Amino acid sequence: MKNNKPVTFSGIQPSGELHIGNYLGAISQWVDMQGNYSCIFCIVDYHAITVRQDPKKLNKNIREIAKIYLALGIDPKKSVIFQQSSINEHTELAWILNCIARISDLNKMTQFKDKADKNQEKVTVGLYDYPVLMAADILLYNTDQVPVGKDQSQHVELSRTLAKRFNKRFGQTFRIPGLKLRKQGANIMGLDNPEKKMSKSAESKNNYIALTDAPEIAVKKIKKAVTDSGSEIKYDPKNKKAISNLLTIYSILDNKPINNLEKKYKNSNYGKFKDDLAQIVQNFLKEFQAKYNRINDKQVDQVLENGADKIRPIAKQTIQRVKSKIGIN
Ligand code: ATP
Ligand code: LTN
């Protein structure tokens, strides 16, 4: 990891199935950043246990997420892929940051409010503290850029706040990370409800296309997707939310600017547009799934182990620096 490239860090929880929103908003940016950044991509298993998990499924999901990263184009020769719990310094730094973070900071977190609201009985202290662990993940590696979807902006902002507060109190220690959002695609909306983001915890499976969906199921989901009134295929996210969302998905998957697509479908109706989009999604899934199925567990274990070994020294250095600043060394 010794080069002069800026550092990028991001992660995804090994909980449930990933969908094309996760790819378009987050992972597709990671793939593009690999040449220009020192990239570190994490499987955040300690974040996953902030809600109840079946231990067997969790263990399987950790490997599955690693396979998904690899099959989507994260190259272990260029990027580090690792499991959060294999580097102890994540939880160690989270504890120290807990003593910097204020209850008033965490009370502002909208994702906690949304999740706690749905689940009053079962909300854990871990779920409340989740953004502090995320700040530790980011700050441990002197991260410059955090590529995520829009729903994670507030959490990245908190990591900036904590870094600045720590630096102010104890002297320059942490690099201040930047948020990296896609210009288009940072907030892919649900196929059945374009008012709300595509989410794996949505009530209906028609809300999202999972990366593991059989291609013919994905085609049905596209055909069922809600459309706007009128028939024009035009990018207008205020007044035509549904078609703008479908145009965004099309544009990123097929690598074509949205205005080219508007021109292409100037005289077409929603039916033709959806048929073509369904074909593109189907091709994307087929290619992804073929790659995914070729990766075996042994390969994955090796990638995760090598990844952790490569970056552990950076984590150790940071925690030493932090502990000495606060007087514990
Ligand atoms: P949940 O709905 O259960 O919270 P999720 O589907 O939102 O889960 P996460 O695992 O929280 O997914 O997100 C993983 C990454 O994908 C994050 O960087 C997140 O910002 C991004 N992401 C999630 N949903 C979308 C979306 N609809 N559009 C763009 N990016 C997204
Ligand atoms: N909260 C993120 C996952 C996450 C993360 C991180 C993302 C945990 N630690 C550090 C970027 C950087 C989510 O997608 N739900």
Side-chain angles (χ1 to χ4, degrees), residues 10-13 15 17-19 21-26 30 111 115 130 147-152 185-189 197-202:
S10 197
I12 293 185
Q13 306 180 63
S15 47
E17 41 188 6
L18 292 197
H19 52 69
N22 301 130
Y23 171 68
L24 300 171
W30 308 357
Q111 192 165 63
K115 293 201 170 172
Y130 175 114
V148 283
K150 191 154 173 263
D151 62 305
Q152 294 300 314
N187 196 21
I188 300 293
M189 309 311 265
K197 85 166 187 106
M198 182 177 282
S199 164
K200 62 178 165 257
S201 30

Side-chain angles (χ1 to χ4, degrees), residues 219 222-223 233 246 249-251 253-254 256 261 264-265 268-284:
V219 167
I222 297 279
K223 302 228 164 132
I233 295 164
L246 296 180
I249 297 172
Y250 192 141
S251 160
L253 287 183
D254 204 32
K256 295 217 170 76
L261 296 177
K264 178 171 178 188
Y265 292 100
S268 305
N269 55 22
Y270 288 152
K272 163 78 178 132
F273 173 80
K274 277 184 164 183
D275 282 347
D276 291 356
L277 175 59
Q279 190 60 50
I280 284 160
V281 170
Q282 193 173 26
N283 293 346
F284 169 76

